[in-house]
Amino acid sequence: MENTMSFKDLNLIPPLERALTKQGYTLPTPIQSESIPGLLLGRDLTGIAQTGTGKTAAFVLPILQRMTEEHPRVIKALVLAPTRELAAQIGESFAAYGEFLKFKHTVIYGGVKQGRQVQALSNGVDILVATPGRLLDLMNQRKLTLSNVEFFVLDEADRMLDMGFIHDIRKIIAKLPQKRQSLFFCATMPPEVNKLAKNL
């Protein structure tokens, strides 16, 4: 059946609609039209979608809409990604969709010196996109705290487990507030991912 829903039907705030129009988007993909309404109501979600189906917008848009502007800036949204390439892409999505909002975000990953990343964190950010290893490293150095996180996204969860990040992820989750919105996105749902999702 053809998708006749438009982004205007999803009750997004004007700054997000404006950003979507600027990006040339009018019709949401199935993962977006299925996910966004529930996420705007604060529900947790496990979404199964292949790469290239628009799952990043499916979590970025509702997070941006539900976040409240506060000062000083603290990390209110945490997105974990398995690779620096995916983390960078997610960061670009927050920049594009949040262009007409005032939130600050940064992306941290390993394989580069940490100086600029630490500087960005010390300046204050609302949204943090990270790979698990570098995030844990900076947490152990007390360069950041996750005590104010309201939105937690685990993107490509199945790939993270394949890459051996399960213990790192569990350590990170243990530092998150109990009260939060949790979102899992993966291309497949192996038993280990299902178990992790249920524990959350």
Side-chain angles (χ1 to χ4, degrees):
M1 194 169 79
E2 192 178 337
N3 178 23
T4 55
M5 180 182 282
S6 77
F7 277 111
K8 292 190 182 298
D9 299 320
L10 294 177
N11 298 315
L12 295 171
I13 55 176
L16 294 178
E17 286 195 355
R18 191 174 157 202
L20 286 165
T21 300
K22 186 174 178 182
Q23 295 292 320
Y25 298 128
T26 52
L27 299 176
T29 65
I31 188 74
Q32 292 164 358
S33 57
E34 295 277 333
S35 302
I36 290 172
L39 294 179
L40 288 175
L41 295 173
R43 295 182 184 143
D44 291 344
L45 174 80
T46 301
I48 302 174
Q50 297 297 325
T51 301
T53 54
K55 64 180 167 52
T56 304
F59 65 78
V60 169
L61 292 167
I63 286 174
L64 288 171
Q65 180 150 325
R66 294 195 67 229
M67 280 178 64
T68 53
E69 288 189 43
E70 295 171 7
H71 294 280
R73 293 186 185 278
V74 293
I75 299 167
K76 294 184 280 289
L78 171 65
V79 182
L80 284 185
T83 65
R84 59 189 287 177
E85 291 80 16
L86 181 58
Q89 285 172 18
I90 294 168
E92 288 165 9
S93 293
F94 273 109
Y97 301 133
E99 181 179 357
F100 304 109
L101 296 166
K102 294 179 180 175
F103 299 121
K104 284 180 70 177
H105 78 278
T106 197
V107 181
I108 62 172
Y109 47 75
V112 296
K113 291 182 179 177
Q114 69 177 41
R116 283 188 182 178
Q117 297 176 2
V118 170
Q119 183 63 49
L121 290 168
S122 67
N123 290 339
V125 296
D126 305 291
I127 300 155
L128 178 61
V129 184
T131 54
R134 175 54 59 95
L135 177 60
L136 265 182
D137 190 19
L138 295 184
M139 286 167 63
N140 291 336
Q141 295 178 49
R142 301 186 188 278
K143 302 291 186 187
L144 62 94
T145 175
L146 302 179
S147 59
N148 297 292
V149 169
E150 299 169 22
F151 309 95
F152 172 58
V153 182
L154 196 56
D155 197 14
E156 299 207 359
D158 47 348
R159 192 168 165 201
M160 287 228 220
L161 268 55
D162 287 343
M163 293 171 71
F165 285 132
I166 184 67
H167 298 300
D168 287 353
I169 291 166
R170 287 206 172 109
K171 286 176 191 170
I172 292 163
I173 289 169
K175 298 292 184 183
L176 296 173
Q178 287 293 313
K179 189 181 177 189
R180 64 174 186 269
Q181 186 176 17
S182 297
L183 290 65
F184 265 46
F185 285 91
C186 47
T188 60
M189 184 59 86
E192 193 72 18
V193 172
N194 196 27
K195 184 179 171 186
L196 191 60
K198 283 180 176 171
N199 286 345
L200 278 174

